[in-house]
Amino acid sequence: MNSNLQLKGILCLTLLILGYKAISQNDSIDDFNKENYSAEGFDINLGKHFMIGGQLTGLYQHQTALHRAKYDGPISISSSSDDQLLSMATVNMLIKLWPNGEFVISPEMQLGNGVGNGKGMGAYPNALYGNPQNTPYLLRAHYRHHFFFKSKKIKEYQFTVGRFALMEMFDMNPYASDPKKDFFNFSHTMLNAWDAAITAYGYTHGLAQTLKLKTASVSLSVNTHNETAGGPTTDWNISKAYSVNLQLVKNFKLFGKTGKIRLLGFYNSYHGGDFSNYQIDSLDHTAKFDTAQNYTTKVGGGIDINYDLNERSGLFLRYSKSDGLHEDFGYTQCDGSINGGFLAGMAVIKRPTDRFGFCASVNTISPLHQQFLKDGGTGFMLGDGNLNYAPETVFETLYCINIKDHYFITVNYQYAINVGYNADRGNAHFLGLRLNLTL
């Protein structure tokens, strides 16, 4: 991609955000239930009915060479060293025309690339990576309404309809869910075996609902599925292509500290392949799904726990599992995952808004999935042409420096063992540097 084109795109979005900031009337108004948008804020008030915010993020990553790699496949991470820069700009606009209701519109742009062109690992090292291109896309375009109750047991019911980032419709782990601010790796951002029905850009369409109780909540999303594995388009045959996701959340207190337990289950129906039903192509001798395959289903779920040590620090632990019978289509290729770690504010060195974190994960794929890849099959993230199976293990550590106000620089290191679940590919180191500016 032309570097001048990249710069122009980033510049245009930056000027748009700064232009709105320059004419803001106040620093902030109502919170607008900001926790539902994770990292995305609407901090600039442009009047009674309109708020805006935005983020600029640049992530540079270096991958070391895979010196032990015995072969490369059609969808392998590079066995040579690789350096890539990925830039992302997001504008968040919120329009409030009547009480308790808001319209959200968020154009976004990604430029550059990720190491290995976004492929080759189930625990891919750059969770910002989606579908880089030179034109913006709409990440969010939805309406949300809140119903508040005076009951001691029921606090709020809300629904969201339209285009939204699926993960934001659920309660998210405060220490490991935002690759713009905390951990980089796919495995350390959400339940890795949750085959979330999202396009490559990260959005879906549908209806999401949340009922908030005094110490618990229930969230349900019924939404569209993507048309192709890891692809950028939606399958609008909604009678056959859809996803149902349910989350139960319970607050708890232990040894005087607070925390949350999140249980999530999903059911996907989509036009994907079955690992027990494929053919070996007579020409290239590789496994291929039947091109006339029917719609299939996938089920799975997981548990996500966080435990708060203080206002800025906490521990987290996740476990997720899918049936492992059918082609992965949404988030990444993974049938089982466990990960845990911590994120800590650095008050001990009088840097309370800096953060130090560590996380480790072990990811697996099912025996049927293993055999498909061993027979030369390819998915949207994996395909070495062969497979000497071993669990994929990743260690990640970071230090995030709060330069001033909303300016953050993060230094990151990851070590991956058996990349692509393949002992024949070996291990890799990833060094990263991220700059994030919230406007």
Side-chain angles (χ1 to χ4, degrees), residues 79-94:
S79 57
S80 303
S81 63
D82 192 15
D83 295 87
Q84 296 291 343
L85 174 64
L86 184 71
S87 302
M88 177 180 289
T90 310
V91 180
N92 306 300
M93 293 174 282
L94 186 146

Side-chain angles (χ1 to χ4, degrees), residues 286-305:
T286 60
K288 289 183 172 59
F289 294 121
D290 185 355
T291 56
Q293 63 202 9
N294 295 318
Y295 281 79
T296 189
T297 62
K298 175 180 277 193
V299 297
I303 182 170
D304 184 346
I305 305 171

Side-chain angles (χ1 to χ4, degrees), residues 213-246:
L213 309 175
K214 184 177 180 180
T215 60
S217 66
V218 181
S219 298
L220 174 69
S221 176
V222 180
N223 49 272
T224 59
H225 213 292
N226 42 313
E227 189 172 29
T228 57
T233 56
T234 297
D235 187 342
W236 288 108
N237 184 6
I238 58 175
S239 64
K240 294 183 177 181
Y242 58 87
S243 176
V244 180
N245 303 269
L246 176 66

Side-chain angles (χ1 to χ4, degrees), residues 315-345:
L315 309 173
F316 60 92
L317 180 67
R318 293 189 180 106
Y319 173 78
S320 56
K321 186 78 173 176
S322 73
D323 59 27
L325 303 175
H326 312 283
E327 183 182 11
D328 296 292
F329 231 64
Y331 189 60
T332 188
Q333 287 187 243
C334 177
D335 300 319
S337 178
I338 184 169
N339 75 74
F342 68 88
L343 192 66

Side-chain angles (χ1 to χ4, degrees), residues 256-271:
K257 306 290 187 180
T258 59
K260 284 187 179 181
I261 299 175
R262 304 166 187 82
L263 297 174
L264 183 139
F266 71 90
Y267 175 91
N268 293 343
S269 176
Y270 59 104
H271 196 261

Side-chain angles (χ1 to χ4, degrees), residues 14 16 85 126 249 294 302 318 367 373 381 410 435:
T14 305
L16 175 63
L85 174 64
N126 183 354
V249 181
N294 295 318
R318 293 189 180 106
L373 294 175
M381 294 287 283
T410 304
L435 172 65

